[in-house]
């Protein structure tokens, strides 16, 4: 795999395994996650640990399937199908990767 794609794929694999330690390990300590408007919804890897740890604990059937992936420079954009509790939705997520860690995530749709 490409070094920019590696942490993105690693966090998808950890998400599907609901492995919070491996999931957080893909992110820079100062990571910022924003919604489509650019508003920060999580800041810092400890915030990710708290939010996603609770999600993983509450969702034994949680999965994300990558339907498509684009890469350009330090950016990866995934088209994902997320399943949880019988609900399925498709999302677009952009990941900015620097020095092997995800530094910014934009939840686009």
């Amino acid at each position: 795999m490409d070094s920019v794609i590696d942490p993105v794929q690693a966090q998808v694999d950890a998400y599907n395994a609901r492995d919070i330690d491996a999931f957080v390990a893909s992110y820079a300590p100062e990571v910022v996650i924003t919604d489509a408007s650019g508003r920060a919804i999580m800041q810092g890897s400890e915030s990710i640990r708290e939010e996603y740890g609770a999600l993983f604990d509450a969702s034994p059937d949680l999965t994300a399937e990558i339907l498509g992936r684009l890469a350009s420079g330090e950016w990866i954009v995934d088209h994902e199908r997320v399943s949880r509790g019988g609900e399925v939705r498709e999302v677009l997520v952009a990941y900015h990767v620097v020095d092997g860690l995800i530094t910014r995530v934009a939840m686009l749709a």
Side-chain angles (χ1 to χ4, degrees):
M1 268 194 281
D2 180 280
S3 63
V4 174
I5 295 173
D6 288 348
V8 175
Q9 186 59 49
Q11 65 88 37
V12 170
D13 294 342
Y15 182 95
N16 286 331
R18 289 167 306 287
D19 181 340
I20 193 62
D21 292 329
F23 187 77
V24 172
S26 300
Y27 292 90
E30 69 282 357
V31 64
V32 176
I33 298 178
T34 62
D35 63 14
S37 71
R39 180 181 61 90
I41 55 176
M42 279 184 249
Q43 291 186 281
S45 58
E46 285 309 307
S47 174
I48 287 175
R49 179 178 295 281
E50 291 173 20
E51 294 287 330
Y52 281 91
L55 176 66
F56 293 171
D57 288 345
S59 309
D61 62 341
L62 181 69
T63 59
E65 175 187 0
I66 304 304
L67 302 177
R69 177 172 280 161
L70 297 171
S72 181
E74 298 177 333
W75 285 94
I76 304 294
V77 178
D78 279 352
H79 177 198
E80 303 176 9
R81 179 179 294 135
V82 178
S83 302
R84 175 184 176 210
E87 293 183 30
V88 178
R89 63 188 178 106
E90 291 188 17
V91 296
L92 289 176
V93 185
Y95 301 92
H96 186 236
V97 178
V98 176
D99 296 330
L101 294 172
I102 300 166
T103 62
R104 182 170 171 215
V105 179
M107 304 286 194
L108 302 175

